[in-house]
């Protein structure tokens, strides 16, 4: 009659057990661990019994006291194991609760700290907007100090400092000049690789600087100085590392000496570039010596008007543009400069002054190209320039009253270093110029048939060709002429021999002739 009671009670107990399993309190955690332990124990015991062939227990009368004691030990071990599971579950639960409380406390502290930072930010901003210079100075120090500790909004604090400097435009007189000095000092002190602001961006566009000193500054953020003006005795960006974006578009440098020596501009993890477009460099001296300019650097439409401009040992990487650039210094030097892995393009550039030197420069897997350029009254010197794998090209250029030294060297993988190699002059006009082809050398191999210089199209009028009288020419042809109009210009036969390699026959010694 009551046979159904057992299954009902069992089902009820199982339902209660399942409900308790899903509780999120300590009891639910203990029951879940007990269930897991029971399942593991049953599975383990069943596996052992299966491996032993499901042995049967002996009859009760055959159990001895020793057997009963062993069974009791096993039962106690099982109970102890379950107790350990309960203790483990309780400790784990307690640890999770402690961690959750810690996270809540941390979040609460973060909210309180953020609230405190916001209050400090508001107070510092109000002080910077105050009329009193003393109050502004306090606000400036408060804002800079807040930027040191408020990492999540450090950029906002720095933007406020930069915005204050932009609002002034230049260093004012009186007490507010001290605030300006404090702001610039904070930037110079903290904007360093080991400083408090290693990755912030600064925007000081349109600001007028006197004797600006950015020496040794470093940041992976953007540095923007568009439209800024620099005057005084010295403007220094020496040893700067601006590996984020660097821009001085439409800036003007009128200091007596402006230096970017050993600076690193552009590149970095974001592969940013240096933008020096529409810039005017005046003053007496401009130096980019030993600087490193990343791919994408542009000097487009920049005017170099300093008396002396030096790019000594400067490294140009990737694509570099000098489009529309004007060079009018007395002396412009690219001595020991390096162009690597890309192309440097001088397009529609103008060169005047007295000297333009590319001496002992290296062109490594790169092209150095001059297109639609105007050279006027300048001595252009490529003495000992080393070309590796690429060429030096002049396309549709005009030379007037110039002296050109093309004593180049080309490094060939088989024959080593040879001089005057891979020079291309196409559709260019030369008037009253002097071209120096001296020190033209190469390996003494009759099998070497390589054009050292190619001159195609254009006009040579009153051009003097200079060569070594006692040179032993072992290479041929030296110069390949095709479609060039020669007016009062004589190319020595030694320079253009081997005409069987020229597509168009050249009448090289006709003073009024047209080649081809």
């Amino acid at each position: 009659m009551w046979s159904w009671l057992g299954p009902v009670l069992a089902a009820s107990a199982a339902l209660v057990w399942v409900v308790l399993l899903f509780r999120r309190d300590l009891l639910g955690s203990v029951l879940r661990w007990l269930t897991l332990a029971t399942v593991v124990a049953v599975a383990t015991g069943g596996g052992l019994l299966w491996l032993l062939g499901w042995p049967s227990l002996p009859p009760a009368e055959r159990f001895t006291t020793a057997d009963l004691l062993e069974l009791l030990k096993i039962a106690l071990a099982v109970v102890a194991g379950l107790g350990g599971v309960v203790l483990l579950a309780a400790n784990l639960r307690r640890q999770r609760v402690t961690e959750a409380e810690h996270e809540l406390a941390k979040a609460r502290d973060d909210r309180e700290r953020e609230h405190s930072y916001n209050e400090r930010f508001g107070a510092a901003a109000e002080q910077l907007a105050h009329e009193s210079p003393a109050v502004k100075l306090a606000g400036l120090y408060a804002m800079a100090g807040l930027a040191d500790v408020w990492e999540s909004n450090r950029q906002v604090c720095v933007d406020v400092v930069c915005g204050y400097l932009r609002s002034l435009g230049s260093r004012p007189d009186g007490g507010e000049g001290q605030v300006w000095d404090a702001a610039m000092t904070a930037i110079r002190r903290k904007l360093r690789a080991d400083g408090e602001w290693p990755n912030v961006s600064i925007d000081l566009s349109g600001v007028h600087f006197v004797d600006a000193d950015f020496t040794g500054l470093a940041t992976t953020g953007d540095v923007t100085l568009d439209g800024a003006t620099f005057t005084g005795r010295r403007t220094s960006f020496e040893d700067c590392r601006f590996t984020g974006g660097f821009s001085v578009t439409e800036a003007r440098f009128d200091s007596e000496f402006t230096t970017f020596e050993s600076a690193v501009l552009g590149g970095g993890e974001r592969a940013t570039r240096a933008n020096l477009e529409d810039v005017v460099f005046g003053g007496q001296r401009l130096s980019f010596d030993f600087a490193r300019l990343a791919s994408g650097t542009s000097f487009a439409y920049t005017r170099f008007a300093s008396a002396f401009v030096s790019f000594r040992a400067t490294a140009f990487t990737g694509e570099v543009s000098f489009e529309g650039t004007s060079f009018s210094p007395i002396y412009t030097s690219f001595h020991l400069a390096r162009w690597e892995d890309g192309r440097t393009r001088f397009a529609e550039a103008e060169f005047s002054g007295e000297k333009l030197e590319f001496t002992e420069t290296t062109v490594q897997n790169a092209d150095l190209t001059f297109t639609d350029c105007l050279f006027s009254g300048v001595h252009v010197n490529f003495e000992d320039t080393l070309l590796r794998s690429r060429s030096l090209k002049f396309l549709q250029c005009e030379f007037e009253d110039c002296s050109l030294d093309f004593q180049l060297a080309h490094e060939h993988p088989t024959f080593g270093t040879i001089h005057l190699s891979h020079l291309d002059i196409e559709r260019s006009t030369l008037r009253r110029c002097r071209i120096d082809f001296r020190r033209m050398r190469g390996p003494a191999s009759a099998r070497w048939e390589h054009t050292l210089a190619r001159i195609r199209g254009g006009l040579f009028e009153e051009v003097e060709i200079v060569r070594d009288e006692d040179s032993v020419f072992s290479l041929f042809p030296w110069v390949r002429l095709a479609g060039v109009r020669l007016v009062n210009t004589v190319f020595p036969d030694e320079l253009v021999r081997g005409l069987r390699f020229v597509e168009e026959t050249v009448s090289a010694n006709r003073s009024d002739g047209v080649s081809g």
Side-chain angles (χ1 to χ4, degrees), residues 26-42:
L26 179 61
L27 178 59
S29 179
V30 170
L31 291 178
R32 284 191 293 273
W33 280 101
L34 282 175
T35 302
L36 178 62
T38 302
V39 171
V40 171
V42 171

Side-chain angles (χ1 to χ4, degrees), residues 372-444:
D372 295 311
C373 294
L374 174 61
F375 298 81
S376 179
V378 62
H379 177 200
V380 184
N381 190 357
F382 281 90
E383 184 176 352
D384 291 326
T385 291
L386 178 60
L387 302 177
R388 289 174 172 164
S389 305
R390 299 292 181 88
S391 61
L392 170 63
K393 298 179 180 180
F394 293 88
L395 309 177
Q396 300 179 174
C397 294
E398 293 187 18
F399 298 83
E400 294 183 356
D401 302 303
C402 293
S403 176
L404 311 174
D405 286 349
F406 290 131
Q407 301 175 37
L408 309 175
H410 175 72
E411 192 169 82
H412 190 272
T414 302
F415 297 96
T417 301
I418 64 175
H419 288 267
L420 188 64
S421 181
H422 282 222
L423 168 64
D424 288 327
I425 302 177
E426 297 186 13
R427 302 184 302 280
S428 296
T429 300
L430 287 81
R431 291 187 174 92
R432 301 176 302 280
C433 294
R434 180 179 184 271
I435 303 180
D436 192 343
F437 282 145
R438 289 179 295 182
R439 295 178 58 202
M440 187 163 52
R441 297 290 185 274

Side-chain angles (χ1 to χ4, degrees), residues 11-306:
S12 300
L15 180 61
V16 171
W17 186 275
V18 170
V19 171
L20 293 176
L21 282 178
F22 289 95
R23 289 173 61 96
R24 300 184 61 85
D25 55 4
L26 179 61
L27 178 59
S29 179
V30 170
L31 291 178
R32 284 191 293 273
W33 280 101
L34 282 175
T35 302
L36 178 62
T38 302
V39 171
V40 171
V42 171
T44 303
L48 290 174
L49 291 175
W50 177 75
L51 288 175
L52 295 175
W54 300 102
S56 58
L57 294 174
E61 58 272 10
R62 296 182 57 184
F63 271 97
T64 63
T65 303
D67 293 333
L68 292 175
L69 290 176
E70 289 297 328
L71 290 176
L72 182 60
K73 289 179 181 179
I74 293 174
L76 291 175
V78 171
V79 172
L82 293 177
V85 170
V86 172
L87 181 61
L88 176 63
N91 289 334
L92 181 61
R93 176 67 180 179
R94 187 179 299 109
Q95 180 181 355
R96 288 180 176 177
V97 171
T98 302
E99 290 177 352
E101 291 178 349
H102 175 71
E103 292 297 328
L104 289 174
K106 183 179 178 181
R108 183 172 58 254
D109 291 342
D110 290 341
R111 287 194 300 270
E112 293 177 355
R113 187 182 302 110
E114 195 76 12
H115 180 70
S116 173
Y117 288 161
N118 279 304
E119 290 182 344
R120 290 172 59 183
F121 178 83
E126 288 181 2
Q127 288 177 313
L128 277 174
H130 201 275
E131 295 181 358
S132 171
V135 178
K136 286 185 177 181
L137 184 61
L140 186 282
Y141 283 128
M143 188 65 72
L146 181 58
D148 294 343
V149 296
W150 198 8
E151 185 174 355
S152 61
N153 280 299
R154 176 176 296 155
Q155 184 62 59
V156 177
C157 298
V158 175
D159 288 343
V160 172
V161 175
C162 293
Y164 170 73
L165 294 174
R166 291 197 306 271
S167 68
L168 294 178
S170 62
R171 186 187 186 280
D173 297 329
E176 197 154 7
Q178 298 180 6
V179 186
W180 169 284
D181 293 339
M184 293 302 301
T185 299
I187 291 175
R188 285 193 292 265
R189 183 177 299 167
K190 300 174 183 296
L191 202 70
R192 297 180 179 274
D194 57 349
E196 291 86 350
W197 306 347
N199 53 5
V200 300
S201 299
I202 62 171
D203 184 357
L204 298 174
S205 298
V207 176
H208 176 214
F209 298 94
V210 179
D211 293 323
D213 184 10
F214 294 95
T215 302
L217 300 192
T219 180
T220 58
D222 297 331
V223 176
T224 306
L225 297 164
D226 295 341
T229 56
F230 300 84
T231 59
R233 296 188 60 185
R234 176 185 172 93
T235 293
S236 176
F237 288 85
E238 190 173 341
D239 291 316
C240 285
R241 295 186 62 85
F242 295 147
T243 53
F246 177 73
S247 178
V248 288
T249 301
E250 299 181 355
R252 187 177 183 96
F253 294 82
D254 288 324
S255 299
E256 293 181 20
F257 178 39
T258 299
T259 175
F260 287 84
E261 293 181 10
S262 302
V264 178
L265 305 180
E269 296 180 356
R270 295 187 291 146
T272 54
R273 69 189 189 99
N275 188 347
L276 296 96
E277 298 179 352
D278 291 303
V279 178
V280 176
F281 289 104
Q284 289 296 311
R285 292 176 56 203
L286 169 65
S287 174
F288 278 87
D289 295 349
F290 302 98
R292 291 170 52 194
L293 306 181
S295 180
T297 296
S298 176
F299 290 90
Y301 304 103
T302 288
R303 184 157 64 93
F304 292 91
S306 303

